[in-house]
mmCIF file of all heavy atoms in Angstrom:
data_model
loop_
_atom_site.group_PDB
_atom_site.id
_atom_site.type_symbol
_atom_site.label_atom_id
_atom_site.label_comp_id
_atom_site.label_asym_id
_atom_site.label_seq_id
_atom_site.Cartn_x
_atom_site.Cartn_y
_atom_site.Cartn_z
ATOM 1 N N ALA D 18 -3.097 4.202 -123.380
ATOM 2 C CA ALA D 18 -3.530 3.005 -122.700
ATOM 3 C C ALA D 18 -4.698 2.282 -123.375
ATOM 4 O O ALA D 18 -4.791 1.042 -123.414
ATOM 5 C CB ALA D 18 -3.877 3.334 -121.270
ATOM 6 N N PHE D 19 -5.669 3.058 -123.965
ATOM 7 C CA PHE D 19 -6.867 2.485 -124.403
ATOM 8 C C PHE D 19 -7.108 2.602 -125.943
ATOM 9 O O PHE D 19 -7.686 1.629 -126.432
ATOM 10 C CB PHE D 19 -8.126 3.152 -123.696
ATOM 11 C CG PHE D 19 -7.992 2.997 -122.184
ATOM 12 C CD1 PHE D 19 -7.550 3.973 -121.393
ATOM 13 C CD2 PHE D 19 -8.436 1.766 -121.617
ATOM 14 C CE1 PHE D 19 -7.441 3.874 -120.000
ATOM 15 C CE2 PHE D 19 -8.399 1.621 -120.289
ATOM 16 C CZ PHE D 19 -7.897 2.616 -119.398
ATOM 17 N N ILE D 20 -6.678 3.596 -126.590
ATOM 18 C CA ILE D 20 -6.906 3.755 -128.020
ATOM 19 C C ILE D 20 -5.753 3.171 -128.817
ATOM 20 O O ILE D 20 -6.032 2.507 -129.873
ATOM 21 C CB ILE D 20 -7.085 5.286 -128.322
ATOM 22 C CG1 ILE D 20 -8.344 5.779 -127.647
ATOM 23 C CG2 ILE D 20 -7.209 5.417 -129.849
ATOM 24 C CD1 ILE D 20 -9.661 5.077 -127.968
ATOM 25 N N GLU D 21 -4.527 3.428 -128.410
ATOM 26 C CA GLU D 21 -3.392 2.909 -129.191
ATOM 27 C C GLU D 21 -3.435 1.380 -129.452
ATOM 28 O O GLU D 21 -3.136 0.989 -130.520
ATOM 29 C CB GLU D 21 -2.062 3.269 -128.433
ATOM 30 C CG GLU D 21 -0.877 3.283 -129.311
ATOM 31 C CD GLU D 21 -0.684 4.571 -130.092
ATOM 32 O OE1 GLU D 21 -1.523 5.504 -129.983
ATOM 33 O OE2 GLU D 21 0.244 4.665 -130.922
ATOM 34 N N PRO D 22 -3.833 0.520 -128.444
ATOM 35 C CA PRO D 22 -3.842 -0.882 -128.773
ATOM 36 C C PRO D 22 -4.930 -1.240 -129.784
ATOM 37 O O PRO D 22 -4.831 -2.365 -130.349
ATOM 38 C CB PRO D 22 -4.179 -1.487 -127.353
ATOM 39 C CG PRO D 22 -3.805 -0.493 -126.348
ATOM 40 C CD PRO D 22 -4.025 0.841 -127.068
ATOM 41 N N LEU D 23 -5.828 -0.416 -130.072
ATOM 42 C CA LEU D 23 -6.967 -0.631 -130.982
ATOM 43 C C LEU D 23 -6.709 0.075 -132.375
ATOM 44 O O LEU D 23 -7.672 0.077 -133.199
ATOM 45 C CB LEU D 23 -8.219 -0.205 -130.470
ATOM 46 C CG LEU D 23 -8.720 -0.906 -129.108
ATOM 47 C CD1 LEU D 23 -9.937 -0.257 -128.530
ATOM 48 C CD2 LEU D 23 -8.879 -2.414 -129.341
ATOM 49 N N ARG D 24 -5.550 0.690 -132.548
ATOM 50 C CA ARG D 24 -5.381 1.475 -133.760
ATOM 51 C C ARG D 24 -5.545 0.737 -135.131
ATOM 52 O O ARG D 24 -5.866 1.354 -136.092
ATOM 53 C CB ARG D 24 -4.010 2.140 -133.745
ATOM 54 C CG ARG D 24 -2.789 1.148 -133.728
ATOM 55 C CD ARG D 24 -1.451 1.873 -133.533
ATOM 56 N NE ARG D 24 -0.318 0.999 -133.450
ATOM 57 C CZ ARG D 24 0.079 0.415 -132.438
ATOM 58 N NH1 ARG D 24 -0.580 0.535 -131.266
ATOM 59 N NH2 ARG D 24 1.237 -0.382 -132.448
ATOM 60 N N SER D 25 -5.382 -0.537 -135.139
ATOM 61 C CA SER D 25 -5.539 -1.300 -136.310
ATOM 62 C C SER D 25 -6.941 -2.076 -136.370
ATOM 63 O O SER D 25 -7.262 -2.803 -137.268
ATOM 64 C CB SER D 25 -4.444 -2.349 -136.542
ATOM 65 O OG SER D 25 -4.477 -3.266 -135.474
ATOM 66 N N ASN D 26 -7.739 -1.806 -135.339
ATOM 67 C CA ASN D 26 -9.053 -2.435 -135.227
ATOM 68 C C ASN D 26 -10.063 -1.770 -136.201
ATOM 69 O O ASN D 26 -10.319 -0.548 -136.076
ATOM 70 C CB ASN D 26 -9.636 -2.420 -133.900
ATOM 71 C CG ASN D 26 -10.827 -3.355 -133.639
ATOM 72 O OD1 ASN D 26 -11.735 -3.373 -134.413
ATOM 73 N ND2 ASN D 26 -10.807 -4.108 -132.578
ATOM 74 N N PRO D 27 -10.596 -2.437 -137.213
ATOM 75 C CA PRO D 27 -11.510 -1.805 -138.148
ATOM 76 C C PRO D 27 -12.783 -1.265 -137.513
ATOM 77 O O PRO D 27 -13.572 -0.511 -138.185
ATOM 78 C CB PRO D 27 -11.816 -2.901 -139.195
ATOM 79 C CG PRO D 27 -11.569 -4.171 -138.465
ATOM 80 C CD PRO D 27 -10.528 -3.913 -137.469
ATOM 81 N N LEU D 28 -13.099 -1.688 -136.335
ATOM 82 C CA LEU D 28 -14.332 -1.256 -135.619
ATOM 83 C C LEU D 28 -14.149 0.181 -135.096
ATOM 84 O O LEU D 28 -15.198 0.832 -134.754
ATOM 85 C CB LEU D 28 -14.787 -2.196 -134.546
ATOM 86 C CG LEU D 28 -15.232 -3.559 -134.981
ATOM 87 C CD1 LEU D 28 -15.480 -4.436 -133.747
ATOM 88 C CD2 LEU D 28 -16.418 -3.507 -135.885
ATOM 89 N N LEU D 29 -12.984 0.662 -134.932
ATOM 90 C CA LEU D 29 -12.696 1.968 -134.368
ATOM 91 C C LEU D 29 -12.245 2.904 -135.437
ATOM 92 O O LEU D 29 -11.219 2.751 -136.149
ATOM 93 C CB LEU D 29 -11.660 1.903 -133.284
ATOM 94 C CG LEU D 29 -11.270 3.255 -132.636
ATOM 95 C CD1 LEU D 29 -12.467 3.935 -131.940
ATOM 96 C CD2 LEU D 29 -10.138 3.120 -131.659
ATOM 97 N N THR D 30 -12.971 4.110 -135.550
ATOM 98 C CA THR D 30 -12.516 5.211 -136.377
ATOM 99 C C THR D 30 -12.277 6.426 -135.459
ATOM 100 O O THR D 30 -13.169 6.820 -134.726
ATOM 101 C CB THR D 30 -13.571 5.569 -137.469
ATOM 102 O OG1 THR D 30 -13.789 4.429 -138.300
ATOM 103 C CG2 THR D 30 -13.139 6.743 -138.272
ATOM 104 N N VAL D 31 -11.058 6.986 -135.540
ATOM 105 C CA VAL D 31 -10.734 8.143 -134.798
ATOM 106 C C VAL D 31 -10.553 9.269 -135.686
ATOM 107 O O VAL D 31 -9.735 9.203 -136.596
ATOM 108 C CB VAL D 31 -9.452 7.910 -133.914
ATOM 109 C CG1 VAL D 31 -9.165 9.153 -133.140
ATOM 110 C CG2 VAL D 31 -9.672 6.769 -132.975
ATOM 111 N N ARG D 32 -11.253 10.398 -135.471
ATOM 112 C CA ARG D 32 -11.097 11.650 -136.297
ATOM 113 C C ARG D 32 -10.501 12.709 -135.361
ATOM 114 O O ARG D 32 -11.208 13.053 -134.392
ATOM 115 C CB ARG D 32 -12.440 12.037 -136.930
ATOM 116 C CG ARG D 32 -12.995 11.069 -137.943
ATOM 117 C CD ARG D 32 -12.078 10.962 -139.192
ATOM 118 N NE ARG D 32 -11.872 12.167 -139.843
ATOM 119 C CZ ARG D 32 -12.615 12.668 -140.801
ATOM 120 N NH1 ARG D 32 -13.728 11.947 -141.284
ATOM 121 N NH2 ARG D 32 -12.338 13.837 -141.342
ATOM 122 N N LEU D 33 -9.363 13.301 -135.718
ATOM 123 C CA LEU D 33 -8.792 14.369 -134.900
ATOM 124 C C LEU D 33 -9.068 15.656 -135.615
ATOM 125 O O LEU D 33 -9.509 15.713 -136.873
ATOM 126 C CB LEU D 33 -7.253 14.223 -134.811
ATOM 127 C CG LEU D 33 -6.794 12.927 -134.207
ATOM 128 C CD1 LEU D 33 -5.276 12.846 -134.233
ATOM 129 C CD2 LEU D 33 -7.301 12.816 -132.834
ATOM 130 N N ASN D 34 -8.907 16.851 -134.937
ATOM 131 C CA ASN D 34 -9.190 18.159 -135.518
ATOM 132 C C ASN D 34 -10.641 18.135 -136.047
ATOM 133 O O ASN D 34 -10.902 18.667 -137.111
ATOM 134 C CB ASN D 34 -8.163 18.531 -136.499
ATOM 135 C CG ASN D 34 -6.825 18.497 -135.966
ATOM 136 O OD1 ASN D 34 -5.996 17.693 -136.515
ATOM 137 N ND2 ASN D 34 -6.455 19.293 -135.010
ATOM 138 N N ALA D 35 -11.542 17.534 -135.264
ATOM 139 C CA ALA D 35 -12.932 17.358 -135.733
ATOM 140 C C ALA D 35 -13.925 17.795 -134.685
ATOM 141 O O ALA D 35 -14.598 17.016 -134.085
ATOM 142 C CB ALA D 35 -13.169 15.833 -136.112
ATOM 143 N N PRO D 36 -13.999 19.170 -134.529
ATOM 144 C CA PRO D 36 -14.937 19.660 -133.418
ATOM 145 C C PRO D 36 -16.373 19.415 -133.820
ATOM 146 O O PRO D 36 -16.746 19.642 -134.989
ATOM 147 C CB PRO D 36 -14.593 21.127 -133.418
ATOM 148 C CG PRO D 36 -14.017 21.458 -134.725
ATOM 149 C CD PRO D 36 -13.281 20.252 -135.170
ATOM 150 N N VAL D 37 -17.112 18.930 -132.861
ATOM 151 C CA VAL D 37 -18.601 18.720 -133.150
ATOM 152 C C VAL D 37 -19.364 20.012 -132.894
ATOM 153 O O VAL D 37 -19.112 20.701 -131.878
ATOM 154 C CB VAL D 37 -19.069 17.550 -132.183
ATOM 155 C CG1 VAL D 37 -20.616 17.501 -132.284
ATOM 156 C CG2 VAL D 37 -18.475 16.274 -132.516
ATOM 157 N N LYS D 38 -20.208 20.332 -133.815
ATOM 158 C CA LYS D 38 -20.914 21.616 -133.735
ATOM 159 C C LYS D 38 -22.276 21.482 -133.010
ATOM 160 O O LYS D 38 -22.751 22.336 -132.351
ATOM 161 C CB LYS D 38 -21.148 22.182 -135.165
ATOM 162 C CG LYS D 38 -19.769 22.538 -135.799
ATOM 163 C CD LYS D 38 -20.011 23.345 -137.037
ATOM 164 C CE LYS D 38 -18.657 23.963 -137.509
ATOM 165 N NZ LYS D 38 -18.862 24.913 -138.633
ATOM 166 N N ARG D 39 -22.980 20.302 -133.299
ATOM 167 C CA ARG D 39 -24.254 20.125 -132.622
ATOM 168 C C ARG D 39 -24.595 18.625 -132.678
ATOM 169 O O ARG D 39 -24.113 17.920 -133.685
ATOM 170 C CB ARG D 39 -25.314 20.918 -133.258
ATOM 171 C CG ARG D 39 -25.642 20.733 -134.714
ATOM 172 C CD ARG D 39 -26.633 21.730 -135.225
ATOM 173 N NE ARG D 39 -26.853 21.549 -136.625
ATOM 174 C CZ ARG D 39 -26.101 21.991 -137.628
ATOM 175 N NH1 ARG D 39 -24.974 22.607 -137.269
ATOM 176 N NH2 ARG D 39 -26.420 21.763 -138.907
ATOM 177 N N ILE D 40 -25.441 18.165 -131.847
ATOM 178 C CA ILE D 40 -26.026 16.855 -131.841
ATOM 179 C C ILE D 40 -27.400 16.934 -132.450
ATOM 180 O O ILE D 40 -28.204 17.849 -132.205
ATOM 181 C CB ILE D 40 -26.143 16.319 -130.366
ATOM 182 C CG1 ILE D 40 -24.769 16.380 -129.655
ATOM 183 C CG2 ILE D 40 -26.831 14.954 -130.309
ATOM 184 C CD1 ILE D 40 -24.850 16.267 -128.171
ATOM 185 N N LEU D 41 -27.671 16.061 -133.324
ATOM 186 C CA LEU D 41 -28.996 16.024 -133.994
ATOM 187 C C LEU D 41 -30.007 15.246 -133.117
ATOM 188 O O LEU D 41 -29.710 14.121 -132.749
ATOM 189 C CB LEU D 41 -28.841 15.372 -135.377
ATOM 190 C CG LEU D 41 -27.864 16.091 -136.278
ATOM 191 C CD1 LEU D 41 -27.736 15.313 -137.593
ATOM 192 C CD2 LEU D 41 -28.267 17.465 -136.642
ATOM 193 N N VAL D 42 -31.149 15.879 -132.830
ATOM 194 C CA VAL D 42 -32.199 15.361 -132.010
ATOM 195 C C VAL D 42 -33.416 15.329 -132.859
ATOM 196 O O VAL D 42 -33.957 16.374 -133.287
ATOM 197 C CB VAL D 42 -32.363 16.075 -130.671
ATOM 198 C CG1 VAL D 42 -33.434 15.444 -129.906
ATOM 199 C CG2 VAL D 42 -31.036 16.113 -129.934
ATOM 200 N N GLU D 43 -34.053 14.163 -133.076
ATOM 201 C CA GLU D 43 -35.264 13.982 -133.823
ATOM 202 C C GLU D 43 -36.285 13.241 -132.957
ATOM 203 O O GLU D 43 -36.040 12.118 -132.454
ATOM 204 C CB GLU D 43 -35.046 13.255 -135.057
ATOM 205 C CG GLU D 43 -34.053 13.906 -136.050
ATOM 206 C CD GLU D 43 -33.712 13.137 -137.203
ATOM 207 O OE1 GLU D 43 -34.424 12.076 -137.428
ATOM 208 O OE2 GLU D 43 -32.747 13.459 -137.919
ATOM 209 N N ASN D 44 -37.435 13.823 -132.708
ATOM 210 C CA ASN D 44 -38.448 13.164 -131.914
ATOM 211 C C ASN D 44 -37.974 12.729 -130.537
ATOM 212 O O ASN D 44 -38.166 11.597 -130.126
ATOM 213 C CB ASN D 44 -39.108 12.011 -132.651
ATOM 214 C CG ASN D 44 -39.731 12.421 -133.974
ATOM 215 O OD1 ASN D 44 -40.437 13.470 -134.021
ATOM 216 N ND2 ASN D 44 -39.523 11.684 -135.000
ATOM 217 N N GLU D 45 -37.186 13.642 -129.954
ATOM 218 C CA GLU D 45 -36.637 13.349 -128.532
ATOM 219 C C GLU D 45 -35.629 12.199 -128.599
ATOM 220 O O GLU D 45 -35.520 11.580 -127.552
ATOM 221 C CB GLU D 45 -37.721 13.244 -127.552
ATOM 222 C CG GLU D 45 -38.595 14.516 -127.440
ATOM 223 C CD GLU D 45 -39.605 14.405 -126.303
ATOM 224 O OE1 GLU D 45 -39.882 13.249 -125.770
ATOM 225 O OE2 GLU D 45 -40.269 15.346 -126.089
ATOM 226 N N ARG D 46 -34.999 12.025 -129.635
ATOM 227 C CA ARG D 46 -33.983 10.973 -129.708
ATOM 228 C C ARG D 46 -32.787 11.418 -130.469
ATOM 229 O O ARG D 46 -32.884 12.067 -131.523
ATOM 230 C CB ARG D 46 -34.597 9.729 -130.553
ATOM 231 C CG ARG D 46 -33.566 8.608 -130.779
ATOM 232 C CD ARG D 46 -34.281 7.461 -131.468
ATOM 233 N NE ARG D 46 -35.393 6.911 -130.754
ATOM 234 C CZ ARG D 46 -35.303 5.996 -129.845
ATOM 235 N NH1 ARG D 46 -34.107 5.390 -129.630
ATOM 236 N NH2 ARG D 46 -36.323 5.486 -129.240
ATOM 237 N N ALA D 47 -31.570 11.242 -129.883
ATOM 238 C CA ALA D 47 -30.293 11.604 -130.546
ATOM 239 C C ALA D 47 -29.986 10.708 -131.657
ATOM 240 O O ALA D 47 -29.986 9.488 -131.461
ATOM 241 C CB ALA D 47 -29.178 11.653 -129.527
ATOM 242 N N THR D 48 -29.821 11.214 -132.804
ATOM 243 C CA THR D 48 -29.624 10.327 -133.996
ATOM 244 C C THR D 48 -28.311 10.525 -134.687
ATOM 245 O O THR D 48 -27.797 9.644 -135.407
ATOM 246 C CB THR D 48 -30.686 10.677 -135.081
ATOM 247 O OG1 THR D 48 -30.653 12.061 -135.440
ATOM 248 C CG2 THR D 48 -32.121 10.349 -134.536
ATOM 249 N N GLY D 49 -27.646 11.656 -134.468
ATOM 250 C CA GLY D 49 -26.308 11.853 -135.162
ATOM 251 C C GLY D 49 -25.653 13.162 -134.629
ATOM 252 O O GLY D 49 -26.164 13.798 -133.755
ATOM 253 N N VAL D 50 -24.533 13.508 -135.290
ATOM 254 C CA VAL D 50 -23.809 14.731 -134.964
ATOM 255 C C VAL D 50 -23.342 15.377 -136.197
ATOM 256 O O VAL D 50 -23.167 14.700 -137.285
ATOM 257 C CB VAL D 50 -22.680 14.489 -133.953
ATOM 258 C CG1 VAL D 50 -23.168 13.801 -132.722
ATOM 259 C CG2 VAL D 50 -21.512 13.793 -134.654
ATOM 260 N N VAL D 51 -23.120 16.719 -136.148
ATOM 261 C CA VAL D 51 -22.543 17.492 -137.163
ATOM 262 C C VAL D 51 -21.255 17.902 -136.690
ATOM 263 O O VAL D 51 -21.058 18.578 -135.580
ATOM 264 C CB VAL D 51 -23.399 18.651 -137.558
ATOM 265 C CG1 VAL D 51 -22.703 19.535 -138.670
ATOM 266 C CG2 VAL D 51 -24.784 18.278 -138.040
ATOM 267 N N PHE D 52 -20.133 17.609 -137.463
ATOM 268 C CA PHE D 52 -18.760 18.057 -137.064
ATOM 269 C C PHE D 52 -18.040 18.673 -138.278
ATOM 270 O O PHE D 52 -18.482 18.541 -139.421
ATOM 271 C CB PHE D 52 -17.977 16.867 -136.498
ATOM 272 C CG PHE D 52 -17.567 15.818 -137.523
ATOM 273 C CD1 PHE D 52 -16.279 15.950 -138.014
ATOM 274 C CD2 PHE D 52 -18.328 14.799 -137.842
ATOM 275 C CE1 PHE D 52 -15.851 14.981 -138.973
ATOM 276 C CE2 PHE D 52 -17.941 13.919 -138.786
ATOM 277 C CZ PHE D 52 -16.672 13.928 -139.367
ATOM 278 N N ALA D 53 -16.996 19.420 -137.924
ATOM 279 C CA ALA D 53 -16.178 20.079 -138.951
ATOM 280 C C ALA D 53 -14.950 19.256 -139.271
ATOM 281 O O ALA D 53 -14.338 18.705 -138.322
ATOM 282 C CB ALA D 53 -15.759 21.454 -138.477
ATOM 283 N N ASP D 54 -14.617 19.035 -140.497
ATOM 284 C CA ASP D 54 -13.451 18.216 -140.837
ATOM 285 C C ASP D 54 -12.335 18.940 -141.658
ATOM 286 O O ASP D 54 -11.550 18.362 -142.237
ATOM 287 C CB ASP D 54 -13.879 16.980 -141.666
ATOM 288 C CG ASP D 54 -14.411 17.385 -143.083
ATOM 289 O OD1 ASP D 54 -14.608 18.525 -143.311
ATOM 290 O OD2 ASP D 54 -14.678 16.431 -143.872
ATOM 291 N N GLY D 55 -12.437 20.301 -141.561
ATOM 292 C CA GLY D 55 -11.434 21.097 -142.221
ATOM 293 C C GLY D 55 -11.851 21.562 -143.616
ATOM 294 O O GLY D 55 -11.296 22.518 -144.156
ATOM 295 N N THR D 56 -12.783 20.837 -144.217
ATOM 296 C CA THR D 56 -13.259 21.314 -145.554
ATOM 297 C C THR D 56 -14.685 21.714 -145.559
ATOM 298 O O THR D 56 -15.239 22.270 -146.451
ATOM 299 C CB THR D 56 -13.141 20.084 -146.541
ATOM 300 O OG1 THR D 56 -13.942 18.999 -146.021
ATOM 301 C CG2 THR D 56 -11.759 19.570 -146.647
ATOM 302 N N GLY D 57 -15.322 21.578 -144.338
ATOM 303 C CA GLY D 57 -16.749 21.963 -144.209
ATOM 304 C C GLY D 57 -17.357 21.179 -143.123
ATOM 305 O O GLY D 57 -16.704 20.642 -142.236
ATOM 306 N N GLU D 58 -18.653 21.032 -143.200
ATOM 307 C CA GLU D 58 -19.358 20.287 -142.197
ATOM 308 C C GLU D 58 -19.708 18.878 -142.766
ATOM 309 O O GLU D 58 -19.987 18.652 -143.960
ATOM 310 C CB GLU D 58 -20.695 20.924 -141.814
ATOM 311 C CG GLU D 58 -20.494 22.183 -141.063
ATOM 312 C CD GLU D 58 -21.819 22.811 -140.582
ATOM 313 O OE1 GLU D 58 -22.915 22.227 -140.870
ATOM 314 O OE2 GLU D 58 -21.780 23.836 -139.817
#
């Protein structure tokens, strides 16, 4: 319903089989995430 209609939209990137290992927090602010992509982190 929501992702398929946007599959060709360049603003959306979908990564499957990509478990997130942790959220990066710097100075009490979330800045990024670390995830596994099959070849490493």
Side-chain angles (χ1 to χ4, degrees):
F19 300 98
I20 298 301
E21 200 82 1
L23 300 172
R24 60 187 179 274
S25 60
N26 191 314
L28 293 176
L29 176 64
T30 301
V31 178
R32 296 294 303 269
L33 302 177
N34 306 116
V37 172
K38 296 192 169 186
R39 62 188 178 278
I40 301 160
L41 301 176
V42 180
E43 301 173 11
N44 299 319
E45 299 183 349
R46 177 180 297 273
T48 57
V50 306
V51 177
F52 71 96
D54 68 353
T56 60
E58 291 187 356

